[in-house]
Amino acid sequence: MALTLPSFMRRASPPLLGIDLSSSSVKVVELVPGQKAGIRLQRYAIESIERGAIADGNVENPDQVAGALARALRRMGTRTREAALALPSSAVITKRIALPAGLDEEDYELQVESEASQYIPFAIEEVNLDFQILGPAAGGDDEVEVLLAASRKEKIEDRVAVAEMCGLRPVGLEADAYAARSALDHAAAFLPNNGQGLVLAVFDIGSSATHLSIVLNGQTIFEREQAFGGMQLTQDLVRLYGLTVEEAEIKKKTGELPENFRTGVLQPVLEQGAIDVTRALQFFFTSTPYTRVDRIFLAGGSSVVPGLVEAIAERTQVQTEILSPFQGMEIAETIREKQLRVDAPALLTACGLAMRRFDA
């Protein structure tokens, strides 16, 4: 079988938009070459979508999602038409396999298709396959390690359809966890010794769930998802203060609420969040050989809730900070940096996708 686009890890020609379709919003990032730095954040937009339009990673209402994406593109004023999109990690099956070294691409495709049937619980004709050669296998120079990726065609076609409804041309799809890792690797390069030797824990706090990735020397050594998200706080604000969901999302990040908000509503949420983070790290320590975490990064739209960084740092006794994927990048003059500081942690996946055009 000849692999054709859409694919998971194929590099795209510039220019390129990174698009993350999540359960609560559409996020779009456009990066271009910089003059003083290698990369420049040229434009971005975040547009809310109605609850239920995307559920459990499935596009349930393509018209609503496409409408939100179209609004984001209009706000950005971009003319770029090529796009890379994220797939939820739950929709992507990945497996590292060893194959003979020195084959040509067509032979690797045949080998991958043959091997894939052992690991994929669907008929091969129902999935899109892709692969990436990672390098020599541990077993010796006569083999290479290959990362196999597969997703059901319906999962891919739903997102492709949304992009095409907005006049975009999808040139690649990638699991959201891999896209986020690209952005993390960029940020880690600004740590002491480029982050080498540091055990980094990234808590990506979404609307209804938090995804934990722990990374050491560019390799993911632990992953876990738990039911801790920002939607509960949003719903509390809607109920208590008569706000719309959009107003509540903004105000929970800025803290522009009555004084009793912090003590009566926010403080219990911060304490529970810190407890959940601590428990996740304890599970990491008890289920792996590792006994430390050197730094905690918070990402996702709810990571900027006032006081969360401090609450987690105090309980875990680990240096904790908000993760911005745009560290070291030039920022276009049209972007308000104060607003970007609020929005940046939610743009991890979209930024990682847009960075594909800068792959060596």
Side-chain angles (χ1 to χ4, degrees):
M1 155 182 123
L3 293 177
T4 57
L5 291 173
S7 67
F8 300 105
M9 291 166 284
R10 186 163 293 124
R11 294 171 184 149
S13 300
L16 182 69
L17 299 173
I19 300 176
D20 178 19
L21 307 178
S22 72
S23 62
S24 60
S25 63
V26 170
K27 296 172 275 284
V28 187
V29 167
E30 182 175 6
L31 305 176
V32 300
Q35 295 181 341
K36 298 179 181 179
I39 303 176
R40 172 186 172 97
L41 172 60
Q42 189 70 9
R43 302 176 181 90
Y44 80 90
I46 301 175
E47 194 71 33
S48 297
I49 59 174
E50 292 188 23
R51 196 173 182 188
I54 297 179
D56 298 325
N58 300 315
V59 179
E60 302 290 352
N61 193 322
D63 289 337
Q64 285 185 7
V65 179
L69 177 56
R71 292 193 299 274
L73 296 173
R74 284 196 299 270
R75 283 177 51 206
M76 292 172 67
T78 180
R79 296 183 178 180
T80 298
R81 297 291 93 187
E82 293 194 344
L85 290 91
L87 282 168
S89 294
S90 59
V92 182
I93 300 171
T94 58
K95 182 70 177 179
R96 292 173 183 255
I97 59 176
L99 293 178
L103 302 181
D104 58 35
E105 184 172 356
E106 184 175 345
D107 287 334
Y108 275 121
E109 290 175 1
L110 293 172
Q111 289 270 359
V112 165
E113 182 176 356
S114 175
E115 291 284 334
S117 60
Q118 302 179 42
Y119 307 108
I120 299 171
F122 312 110
I124 289 295
E125 58 269 18
E126 296 179 3
V127 303
N128 273 78
L129 291 173
D130 205 353
F131 67 94
Q132 183 178 31
I133 298 175
L134 302 177
D141 295 338
D142 57 339
E143 288 187 328
V144 291
E145 187 176 30
V146 176
L147 178 64
L148 178 156
S151 181
R152 298 194 71 168
K153 290 181 178 179
E154 63 193 53
K155 302 286 188 181
I156 293 173
E157 291 165 356
D158 286 348
R159 282 167 166 73
V160 168
V162 166
E164 290 179 341
M165 288 167 70
C166 297
L168 300 178
R169 186 168 78 86
V171 295
L173 287 97
E174 186 169 339
D176 52 13
Y178 282 91
R181 263 292 310 282
S182 296
L184 171 62
D185 290 346
H186 169 80
F190 295 89
L191 294 172
N193 197 32
N194 297 321
Q196 292 298 300
L198 297 179
V199 180
L200 308 175
V202 182
F203 288 86
D204 193 345
I205 307 171
S207 176
S208 58
T210 295
H211 182 82
L212 166 62
S213 296
I214 298 184
V215 176
L216 173 63
N217 297 334
Q219 299 294 320
T220 301
I221 58 175
F222 182 82
E223 289 185 288
R224 179 177 171 84
E225 192 161 292
Q226 58 197 91
F228 162 65
M231 182 54 69
Q232 183 59 55
L233 178 57
T234 300
Q235 292 172 339
D236 288 344
L237 297 180
V238 169
R239 175 175 52 84
L240 292 171
Y241 300 108
L243 304 173
T244 66
V245 172
E246 290 75 17
E247 290 170 338
E249 284 289 340
I250 293 171
K251 290 182 180 296
K252 79 177 185 183
K253 297 173 183 178
T254 62
E256 297 173 356
L257 286 159
E259 183 61 33
N260 65 350
F261 161 70
R262 176 168 288 275
T263 56
V265 181
L266 181 58
Q267 195 59 39
V269 173
L270 297 180
E271 292 174 0
Q272 187 59 51
I275 290 171
D276 288 342
V277 166
T278 303
R279 286 174 176 168
L281 294 180
Q282 289 172 344
F283 187 83
F284 165 64
F285 296 141
T286 57
S287 58
T288 71
Y290 300 94
T291 58
R292 77 178 204 278
V293 162
D294 297 304
R295 192 164 305 195
I296 295 173
F297 286 113
L298 303 185
S302 295
S303 64
V304 294
V305 170
L308 184 59
V309 166
E310 293 79 7
I312 291 174
E314 182 178 355
R315 179 168 284 271
T316 62
Q317 294 299 297
V318 176
Q319 183 175 341
T320 304
E321 60 190 81
I322 300 293
L323 176 59
S324 171
F326 306 113
Q327 189 168 357
M329 295 186 188
E330 290 181 27
I331 307 298
E333 295 83 357
T334 54
I335 293 175
R336 293 181 298 164
E337 295 205 28
K338 182 178 179 180
Q339 186 62 47
L340 179 61
R341 284 195 293 272
V342 174
D343 293 336
L347 298 169
L348 200 64
T349 296
C351 179
L353 291 165
M355 288 177 65
R356 291 161 55 103
R357 68 165 290 186
F358 296 94
D359 288 347

